[in-house]
Amino acid sequence: MLEVREAHDDISLNVLRNASVVGMTTAGVASNQMLVRALDPRIVVVEEAAEVLEAQVLASLAPNTQHLILIGDHEQLRPKSESYELTAEAGLGYNLDISMFERLVRVGDYPVQTLATQRRMRPEISKLIRTTIYPSLEDHISTQKYPEVMGMQQPLFFWNHNYMESGSDSETRSKYNCEEAVMAAKLAKYLVQQGYRSGEVTILTPYLGQLNQLRREVSKFSVCKLDDRAKDQLDALQDGDTGRSLAAEPEAQLHWRQHSTTTALSGAVKFATIDNFQGEESTIIILSLVRHNTHGTIGFLRAKNRINVLLSRAKHGMYILGNAAMLRQGHNAKAKTWPQVLNILEEDDCLGNEVRLVCQNHPNTITPISTAADFDLLACEGGCSRQCDQRLPCGHACQRACHVDDLEHQTDTCREPCPRLHDPCQHACPKLCFEKCGECNFIVPGPFKLPCGHSLTHIPCSSSQDLSSVKCKETVDVTLERCKHTVPCPCHKVQDLKDDPGKCTETCGALLDCGHTCMSACGVCHNQGQNNRTGGAETSPAHPTCQKRCDRQLFCGHTCDKPCHGKGSGSCQLPCGAPCDKMPCNERCKKLLKCGHRCPVVCGEPCPGREFCIVCGKSDKMVMDLIMCEEKPLTSCTDEELLEDPLVVLPCKHVLVLSSVDGILELDSFYYSITSASGTKTWTMPAPLQGEHQPGKSCPQCRTPIYGLFRYGRSLKKRAIDMAQRTFLQDSEGRLRKAEEVLSTAEAALIEWNGQALMAAAKVEAGCIGSLAREKSAYRTLELPDVDHLCAHIRDVQLHALDNAAQLCDKAILLASKFGSGSGAMWPQSTLEEAKALLEQLPHYKARLEEPSTKRELQQIRSALFAADPLLAYNGHAYTCPNGHTYFIGDCGGAVQASHCPECGSAIGGSHHRLAAGNRSTDF
Ligand SMILES: Nc1ncnc2c1ncn2[C@@H]1O[C@H](COP(=O)(O)OP(=O)(O)OP(=O)(O)O)[C@@H](O)[C@H]1O
């Protein structure tokens, strides 16, 4: 690396030695020490030497340097030191930021020349630093001749405000002041509107945070202004000898029209922090001081050196935005620069809450602006709040507010209705004033007779003036000479169509080889034929690939939904997918390849690419002959050989002679053939397909399966079907096995579930007997006639439940005997025992239920009835109907009323204490 560096240095040195003056940054000097020493300058001049560390100045000196000139100002910013402890202000004696320049000036023993005359600032501005820092500073006479600041009443003003700063309380963090940024941006926009060029207005701020705010605010605005070169030219015109008004010059007007553009304000205004602007200047400076807080500190803004820099950058005008009280308060006892500056400004009436604008169009109009919003209200177009009183070149009144740009109104787009009339028709122009009138589009009714013979009504006026230019859209039928199609066509395109029959849009309709009809436009087919033409002769149409679906029936009965894949010559009549019945041809293909040589493959197969040409194909392509057990280069094949045994290109792109592939795919077992005396074989008819499975075939070289060859459609499809059948059978067997497994698992689960479910059901049924018996106690609340009925019903339910339980237990015992029980078996022993026990108990239950109402039961019912109606115990009598159903008669117990038995409907009760026939008293 070092050697490379030295080589570079040598080259640089040779170049630099030929230069009279070499300029470098101090950082560049430090990193190119070898080069500097080799260059060995006699005189070294250091610009802004007061802002450079002493070490950096020393590094720029060479062994033979005889003269060191330091140019700078030690009253401005010192070199930057990252560590406060090392600075002179810290008072620890390191004084790293004292430059060699400052040190030598303060020592006093060295020759020092101070430039006493300044040529930058106008006197009102230089007064601020003369009074505070440079008492002997003089202003050059030229600074007194500076023009007034355009649009401003004063060239210097401190615009006082009360907006508070933002940002962290810590002084190490950057500060910003949003409202002040808006004020600065709007003031900058106003000044640019007055006609200042790009870069003539600069906004300075001490803080990076505020710099971002300013950028953001300024980026919101755009201004209409001349580009700078155009402005130079205009200025030159103004300074010319004619003395005539600029506005009257047509050249000036043209300049406005051509060079005034709406540009982003951010492109016209410069921004910088004060520390980065030392050594630079600007025509107009806007200072955004930011600081205004409740704790009364202004941070590094109080440094005199920094104040010096920020107040001494402006040439023609300077506008300071800040809070004056804060600057006075924030200063300490030693440094009183701000109070002094503010006092001067106050004395000169350059400090206040309102900055005053002067309208360039109405010089007597002074507009005081106290907030940023006032610019929009009172000087939105850079003038004043009046309406522009000028007339536009078109004669309409200008609709803008008083503006200072484009005073001749050359760029205005007047939006009044156009007052002009079209010539010669004198129809009124319907557009806006600023738009070009163009042709008259007024619709005239007609009718008009066109040169083609058709007539038209309601056409634009301009068309009616030149009927030959009207495009007749009437549809006419044109018969084309070449294809004989008659196609509809707009009248004005007839000649076009006749000249170019390739534009025929009629459907071609030709029958394609695949058997489908060509649906392309006739013109397309003819054009393709034309493009393929090799000589000058007329060509037949060439049809694009058929876009239809195959739609032939598959051998399974479904329809082939692939895009048409053609049938080729000697088409197969069978459904797609079925073993083909077309006869194979043994001839060599007669078509030509793209290279112009004859196709080498057998007839009926698609022609391969030119790399398979036996004349100009790839020399490394080989042809295999399995019968002769040989392999030779494709290009060594002769036409005679191929006439006898043409080639076949397999899907894997290996090439074999026809006889070999016929052998691989066993064509002899798929077709009958006869062989002539000369040994020529001819296929006569398809042979019946064999029943046994015929496996798929593959390339003898790479084992890639052979498929898709038309010639072998019978063999390949039969094999494909065999394969599919085999796969289906294998697949089905697997699925069947799986289904059996699932079934047996399910059966086992069912048995387990059945065992538990059966016993649960049996227990419920048996439990039903008990629960019904318990319910009888509730019968006390029932009406008397219902009791018998319910008792009978309960008995039926109980019997039915017992029957069910018995059946379920039987089933449980049967299953257990079928699938086994005990430990390890799916049927638990406990369930089986439960079933047996329950079954044993059931006859006992049943015997009890089948007894007629026992005495105990009757007594229970009776006590229930009497509990419901105590009078029955003394007065009531029980009777039975002719069918034996019990009923009760209250009160005296005698029959006084006829009724019907609720069980069987027979007559019960009676009259005059005599029972109806068949009724009997009972001892209930
Ligand atoms: N001899 C001169 N004739 C005309 N104009 C001059 C002359 N010397 C300086 N000026 C002008 O005075 C202005 C300030 O000059 P210059 O920037 O060199 O000063 P400076 O001392 O480097 O200022 P600072 O250090 O404050 O940035 C510039 O606009 C410059 O064009």
Side-chain angles (χ1 to χ4, degrees):
M1 275 307 286
L2 195 65
E3 284 167 11
V4 175
R5 178 83 194 259
E6 279 168 2
H8 275 287
D9 279 358
D10 282 348
I11 297 167
S12 304
L13 193 61
N14 281 336
V15 175
L16 294 178
R17 280 217 170 107
N18 290 325
S20 311
V21 179
V22 176
M24 296 175 92
T25 61
T26 50
V29 169
S31 59
N32 291 286
Q33 278 292 290
M34 301 290 283
L35 190 64
V36 172
R37 285 183 182 283
L39 198 59
D40 202 12
R42 300 285 182 276
I43 303 168
V44 175
V45 181
V46 183
E47 161 70 334
E48 290 295 349
E51 211 187 356
V52 177
L53 290 168
E54 179 149 356
Q56 287 177 318
V57 176
L58 288 174
S60 57
L61 302 180
N64 291 308
T65 300
Q66 297 162 5
H67 196 170
L68 173 65
I69 302 166
L70 303 176
I71 305 171
D73 181 358
H74 59 286
E75 297 291 356
Q76 294 189 26
L77 289 169
R78 284 175 168 161
K80 283 192 187 73
S81 165
E82 293 301 324
S83 167
Y84 180 74
E85 285 76 27
L86 298 179
T87 63
E89 197 181 331
L92 298 174
Y94 297 112
N95 299 344
L96 188 79
D97 61 341
I98 303 282
S99 62
M100 177 190 276
F101 180 95
E102 184 172 356
R103 189 166 61 77
L104 297 180
V105 168
R106 296 212 189 276
V107 168
D109 292 345
Y110 287 86
V112 175
Q113 263 315 326
T114 306
L115 298 177
T117 305
Q118 71 82 21
R119 298 168 190 251
R120 173 184 291 155
M121 297 159 274
R122 69 185 316 133
E124 293 92 323
I125 299 172
S126 65
K127 182 181 177 185
L128 298 178
I129 54 170
R130 182 168 35 252
T131 315
T132 51
I133 299 164
Y134 306 105
S136 52
L137 184 69
E138 288 173 11
D139 298 325
H140 189 266
I141 183 101
S142 62
T143 60
Q144 293 168 6
K145 293 180 186 164
Y146 279 165
E148 293 301 323
V149 176
M150 292 186 278
M152 303 298 287
Q153 195 188 39
Q154 292 163 287
L156 171 68
F157 195 78
F158 190 109
W159 191 4
N160 190 43
H161 66 74
N162 281 318
Y163 300 123
M164 302 301 280
E165 70 187 36
S166 302
S168 155
D169 283 348
S170 160
E171 278 304 324
T172 55
R173 292 287 176 83
S174 199
K175 310 285 178 220
Y176 59 94
N177 191 319
C178 300
E179 288 85 354
E180 190 180 281
V182 180
M183 288 166 72
K186 295 235 167 134
L187 178 58
K189 180 188 173 194
Y190 175 79
L191 286 164
V192 171
Q193 280 175 322
Q194 303 311 305
Y196 285 103
R197 296 162 199 231
S198 299
E200 283 194 308
V201 178
T202 302
I203 310 179
L204 293 183
T205 180
Y207 294 99
L208 267 175
Q210 182 70 347
L211 195 67
N212 291 335
Q213 286 291 328
L214 289 165
R215 283 216 171 93
R216 196 170 306 142
E217 289 304 326
V218 167
S219 69
K220 293 177 185 169
F221 301 116
S222 54
V223 279
C224 178
K225 63 192 283 291
L226 274 179
D227 69 43
D228 291 342
R229 188 185 293 183
K231 192 157 193 314
D232 280 343
Q233 288 164 350
L234 273 183
D235 288 348
L237 273 176
Q238 270 178 323
D239 294 337
D241 301 331
T242 63
R244 281 185 297 153
S245 147
L246 165 69
E249 294 288 344
E251 203 176 329
Q253 294 179 6
L254 196 66
H255 266 290
W256 260 109
R257 212 174 292 138
Q258 290 176 344
H259 299 288
S260 64
T261 46
T262 300
T263 53
L265 182 62
S266 51
V269 176
K270 279 207 292 190
F271 310 84
T273 57
I274 287 160
D275 288 24
N276 282 339
F277 207 66
Q278 179 160 328
E280 295 188 50
E281 62 185 17
S282 183
T283 309
I284 307 286
I285 291 281
I286 299 170
L287 287 173
S288 172
L289 298 183
V290 178
R291 303 311 300 260
H292 184 203
N293 50 55
T294 48
H295 42 89
T297 50
I298 59 170
F300 73 173
L301 198 52
R302 65 169 184 256
K304 189 176 178 181
N305 297 38
R306 190 164 282 103
I307 298 170
N308 181 15
V309 175
L310 69 87
L311 292 179
S312 61
R313 301 299 102 195
K315 291 170 76 177
H316 297 184
M318 179 164 75
Y319 301 94
I320 310 169
L321 277 53
N323 182 272
M326 186 83 232
L327 295 173
R328 285 184 201 279
Q329 188 190 352
H331 245 263
N332 58 26
K334 272 197 276 175
K336 296 206 171 200
T337 317
W338 274 122
Q340 286 171 339
V341 169
L342 292 168
N343 286 345
I344 298 165
L345 290 168
E346 236 166 14
E347 279 165 20
D348 294 349
D349 192 24
C350 291
L351 193 154
N353 296 334
E354 289 176 344
V355 65
R356 291 185 287 277
L357 314 182
V358 181
C359 176
Q360 291 196 62
N361 299 327
H362 310 97
N364 293 330
T365 305
I366 308 293
T367 307
I369 300 284
S370 53
T371 65
D374 287 350
F375 280 106
D376 300 330
L377 292 172
L378 306 172
C380 61
E381 299 266 22
C384 58
S385 56
R386 296 193 203 177
Q387 179 77 21
C388 175
D389 50 11
Q390 298 293 307
R391 293 238 154 230
L392 305 180
C394 60
H396 289 119
C398 176
Q399 297 294 317
R400 296 172 66 187
C402 176
H403 54 96
V404 291
D405 59 337
D406 190 16
L407 292 175
E408 286 307 303
H409 296 91
Q410 293 302 314
T411 58
D412 269 319
T413 50
C414 176
R415 309 196 75 79
E416 296 287 327
C418 175
R420 296 175 287 273
L421 300 178
H422 283 287
D423 199 32
C425 58
Q426 297 302 299
H427 285 129
C429 172
K431 297 184 179 174
L432 296 178
C433 183
F434 79 94
E435 292 174 307
K436 280 192 178 152
C437 296
E439 293 183 329
C440 178
N441 286 325
F442 186 83
I443 301 296
V444 284
F448 300 96
K449 186 102 174 156
L450 299 180
C452 60
H454 293 119
S455 46
L456 266 184
T457 58
H458 298 92
I459 60 173
C461 174
S462 58
S463 302
S464 72
Q465 290 162 28
D466 177 11
L467 290 174
S468 64
S469 68
V470 177
K471 289 183 174 171
C472 177
K473 295 191 176 127
E474 194 78 28
T475 303
V476 292
D477 286 340
V478 188
T479 304
L480 298 171
E481 204 151 301
R482 184 164 65 179
C483 57
K484 306 296 179 220
H485 279 133
T486 301
V487 288
C489 166
C491 177
H492 73 277
K493 286 189 174 169
V494 167
Q495 199 50 47
D496 262 12
L497 193 58
K498 281 185 174 166
D499 291 346
D500 181 5
K503 287 183 179 163
C504 176
T505 53
E506 198 67 6
T507 305
C508 172
L511 190 67
L512 301 175
D513 285 348
C514 59
H516 292 127
T517 308
C518 177
M519 299 306 286
S520 297
C522 164
V524 173
C525 299
H526 271 101
N527 274 348
Q528 288 202 177
Q530 200 77 8
N531 293 341
N532 293 346
R533 186 170 61 178
T534 46
E538 187 62 32
T539 54
S540 52
H543 308 284
T545 316
C546 179
Q547 297 297 317
K548 292 199 169 177
R549 265 187 1 163
C550 171
D551 265 348
R552 281 188 292 163
Q553 203 183 29
L554 297 168
F555 75 99
C556 54
H558 296 124
T559 308
C560 177
D561 59 358
K562 288 184 189 154
C564 176
H565 41 91
K567 287 183 188 167
S569 55
S571 65
C572 167
Q573 298 307 310
L574 293 177
C576 278
C580 303
D581 64 353
K582 75 172 182 183
M583 300 304 296
C585 170
N586 291 347
E587 300 285 316
R588 179 184 174 186
C589 175
K590 290 197 170 66
K591 292 182 205 156
L592 299 183
L593 298 181
K594 277 188 181 161
C595 55
H597 300 117
R598 187 171 166 183
C599 176
V601 303
V602 67
C603 172
E605 292 304 311
C607 296
R610 59 187 300 175
E611 71 266 30
F612 293 93
C613 174
I614 59 165
V615 181
C616 58
K618 284 189 176 172
S619 56
D620 58 347
K621 274 265 176 249
M622 303 299 282
V623 176
M624 267 180 88
D625 187 334
L626 297 180
I627 298 167
M628 302 302 287
C629 290
E630 66 171 23
E631 193 177 26
K632 61 179 180 180
L634 175 77
T635 46
S636 70
C637 295
T638 63
D639 282 329
E640 292 71 40
E641 286 170 347
L642 296 192
L643 275 179
E644 237 174 66
D645 204 0
L647 305 181
V648 176
V649 179
L650 298 184
C652 56
K653 304 293 181 207
H654 285 121
V655 187
L656 280 86
V657 292
L658 181 69
S659 53
S660 298
V661 188
D662 282 0
I664 294 171
L665 290 165
E666 297 160 342
L667 214 57
D668 277 322
S669 61
F670 287 90
Y671 293 96
Y672 295 121
S673 63
I674 48 169
T675 309
S676 68
S678 60
T680 309
K681 185 188 254 186
T682 309
W683 305 105
T684 53
M685 61 184 292
L689 295 170
Q690 292 166 14
E692 76 263 22
H693 172 82
Q694 286 174 301
K697 294 290 181 180
S698 52
C699 169
Q701 265 187 301
C702 65
R703 315 312 303 168
T704 303
I706 300 174
Y707 58 90
L709 299 175
F710 295 141
R711 176 183 178 80
Y712 305 103
R714 192 166 179 77
S715 166
L716 290 173
K717 287 176 183 173
K718 163 71 170 61
R719 291 167 200 281
I721 292 169
D722 285 351
M723 287 286 283
Q725 256 177 7
R726 172 172 276 201
T727 313
F728 174 76
L729 283 175
Q730 283 171 350
D731 185 48
S732 302
E733 255 172 48
R735 283 163 61 182
L736 201 63
R737 263 199 304 279
K738 219 169 195 171
E740 275 172 1
E741 277 167 26
V742 171
L743 204 64
S744 65
T745 315
E747 195 181 25
L750 189 70
I751 289 162
E752 186 181 9
W753 181 86
N754 251 346
Q756 289 163 4
L758 283 173
M759 277 321 297
K763 283 180 199 168
V764 169
E765 293 287 353
C768 184
I769 301 163
S771 69
L772 282 175
R774 275 194 298 282
E775 276 177 30
K776 284 182 182 168
S777 63
Y779 300 160
R780 288 186 307 180
T781 57
L782 294 173
E783 290 296 319
L784 182 64
D786 292 333
V787 174
D788 273 349
H789 173 71
L790 273 170
C791 281
H793 177 66
I794 288 169
R795 194 164 46 245
D796 286 349
V797 173
Q798 283 174 322
L799 281 170
H800 181 70
L802 283 174
D803 281 345
N804 267 353
Q807 276 178 20
L808 291 168
C809 288
D810 277 344
K811 212 180 255 178
I813 293 163
L814 188 77
L815 282 169
S817 65
K818 185 175 175 190
F819 298 107
S821 61
S823 66
M826 295 172 92
W827 188 266
Q829 184 67 28
S830 58
T831 311
L832 182 66
E833 278 161 12
E834 262 182 76
K836 283 180 179 166
L838 195 58
L839 201 61
E840 273 169 22
Q841 289 166 18
L842 291 180
H844 170 66
Y845 286 135
K846 198 169 180 180
R848 285 185 56 193
L849 285 175
E850 278 176 345
E851 287 171 10
S853 288
T854 59
K855 201 168 181 184
R856 177 183 57 80
E857 203 171 3
L858 286 172
Q859 273 169 355
Q860 280 176 352
I861 297 171
R862 189 184 187 121
S863 56
L865 287 170
F866 293 158
D869 184 0
L871 281 177
L872 283 176
Y874 305 101
N875 304 331
H877 285 278
Y879 301 92
T880 54
C881 78
N883 292 322
H885 298 121
T886 307
Y887 66 96
F888 232 82
I889 301 176
D891 297 331
C892 65
V896 291
Q897 195 179 345
S899 186
H900 296 283
C901 173
E903 290 290 308
C904 59
S906 55
I908 56 170
S911 59
H912 304 102
H913 291 243
R914 293 184 63 176
L915 286 169
N919 286 262
R920 250 183 248 116
S921 174
T922 176
D923 60 350
F924 180 75

